[in-house]
Amino acid sequence: GKGILAADESTGTIGKRFAPIDVENTEENALLFTSEGIEKHISGVIMYEETLFQSTASGKPFPELLKGLGIITGIKVDKGVVPLPGTDGETVTQGIDGLAERCKKYYAAGARFAKWRGVLRISDSGCPSELSIMENCGRLARYAAICQANGLVPIVEPEILMDGEHSIEVAAAVTQKVLAAQYKLLHDHHVLLEGTLLKPNMVRSGESCPVQATNAEIAAATVRVLQNTLPVAVPGVNFLSGGMSEEDASVALNEINKLDAKKPWSLSFSYGRALQASCLKAWCGKEENTKAAQDAFMARAKANGEANLGTYAGGASGDSESLHVKNYAY
């Protein structure tokens, strides 16, 4: 099984994580991309704009390195979130201005797919509001149309954050409402669904909910929501990890693929933190730890590759600690 490595955190976000170990962003990307056997479990890599134009120590551009391994290069094209005035702290993603020109530039540099993240949240005050849903899903649809017009496959990511005390039932109702709106808007924008991927959250209890759903319950709720909203024309779903621990992200994906239900799509992963946390911990920015760090990364990549097939037995080395960051922005 294979999935996508999300290595698209902004310079600021990743810089904060690297500050304690005094490391440059380029070094971590080179560490991940040169891991032996990466192509067995990773079929695509999403990069931040800066990374797309970087090279290995020997001078080979990252997209060229990955292409040689049969891995497709993707690019994060949004410009982050800004507040949505008049709402209870909701946001909308910016970056539509100049997007067509940027897509042309990214295609020329070797990118073949793109990603845009809309961020929605659940709250007792009624979030996500209709305004937040329409604005975020509308911009995702507009972005998808612009990408396709410029040769890039758009990954559509309407992420509902797991912050809050809500139950899995509430998460399911909200996710279903958001995805239904998203696909109506993609139709309205004349987006070719066969040429898109969906990157959704799994349906799960809020991080602070006193009763946490099991991975099997997460799988059942997630698949049911997709059955109710996702057209069969969409070829694949690559779930985000959304702050789940490395092990939980793998086990939940495995449960989804094990589930005996109608699932006419490829159900895989597009993980960032859940593929890199134990790798960074093992590495600490020290050259002598490179092999250990790459081994840690490959252990998680293999676990998720198996989860994509529903054959992960659990227990791969890695963190079982939550990677949740409140109001996660990158």
Side-chain angles (χ1 to χ4, degrees), residues 138-153:
R139 291 192 191 190
L140 275 160
R142 177 95 182 97
Y143 134 85
I146 293 169
C147 283
Q148 289 189 341
N150 289 282
L152 299 178
V153 169

Side-chain angles (χ1 to χ4, degrees), residues 21-279:
I21 55 174
D22 193 27
V23 173
E24 292 293 324
N25 302 2
T26 327
E27 296 176 53
E28 191 224 356
N29 289 318
L31 174 92
L32 296 172
F33 302 163
T34 57
S35 296
E36 193 177 337
I38 181 177
E39 70 279 3
K40 290 179 188 165
H41 305 295
I42 302 295
S43 56
V45 174
I46 308 169
M47 298 181 185
Y48 187 61
E49 183 175 21
E50 183 184 59
T51 315
L52 183 68
F53 298 99
Q54 290 173 342
S55 305
T56 61
S58 62
K60 182 178 273 197
F62 285 148
E64 199 181 303
L65 168 76
L66 295 171
K67 189 178 181 183
L69 296 169
I71 297 172
I72 303 168
T73 295
I75 176 78
K76 166 190 160 84
V77 300
D78 71 66
K79 298 285 189 182
V81 300
V82 290
L84 198 52
T87 64
D88 181 16
E90 292 180 296
T91 59
V92 67
T93 307
Q94 56 187 351
I96 292 291
D97 285 0
L99 179 57
E101 290 71 27
R102 295 204 312 276
C103 285
K104 289 184 178 75
K105 181 175 77 169
Y106 300 148
Y107 188 95
R112 291 297 177 266
F113 70 97
K115 194 204 84 164
W116 175 293
R117 176 179 180 247
V119 185
L120 301 104
R121 65 188 191 90
I122 297 173
S123 76
D124 291 341
S125 64
C127 299
S129 63
E130 288 295 333
L131 178 64
S132 168
I133 294 171
M134 287 302 117
E135 280 293 320
N136 278 292
C137 294
R139 291 192 191 190
L140 275 160
R142 177 95 182 97
Y143 134 85
I146 293 169
C147 283
Q148 289 189 341
N150 289 282
L152 299 178
V153 169
I155 290 183
V156 176
E157 181 181 6
E159 176 180 1
I160 297 156
L161 298 174
M162 65 182 212
D163 303 16
E165 298 182 1
H166 55 272
S167 65
I168 190 171
E169 291 81 8
V170 169
V174 171
T175 304
Q176 185 159 311
K177 183 177 183 180
V178 169
L179 289 181
Q182 183 64 76
Y183 280 91
K184 168 69 167 70
L185 284 159
L186 286 166
H187 279 294
D188 290 348
H189 283 257
H190 313 294
V191 172
L192 180 76
L193 295 184
E194 289 87 347
T196 66
L197 291 170
L198 174 66
K199 180 171 177 173
N201 51 284
M202 291 183 193
V203 175
R204 34 202 277 265
S205 323
E207 177 73 6
S208 310
C209 180
V211 181
Q212 289 290 318
T214 65
N215 285 314
E217 288 167 340
I218 290 169
T222 301
V223 170
R224 185 167 184 273
V225 165
L226 293 178
Q227 288 171 337
N228 276 274
T229 54
L230 186 60
V232 296
V234 177
V237 176
N238 293 79
F239 293 102
L240 56 91
S241 54
M244 297 168 89
S245 73
E246 288 181 321
E247 183 66 1
D248 277 345
S250 301
V251 173
L253 179 63
N254 191 64
E255 290 292 337
I256 284 170
N257 280 298
K258 264 172 52 184
L259 194 69
D260 182 16
K262 286 181 186 168
K263 297 173 295 185
W265 326 271
S266 165
L267 300 170
S268 191
F269 61 92
S270 174
Y271 292 167
R273 288 169 285 172
L275 271 170
Q276 300 173 47
S278 54
C279 165

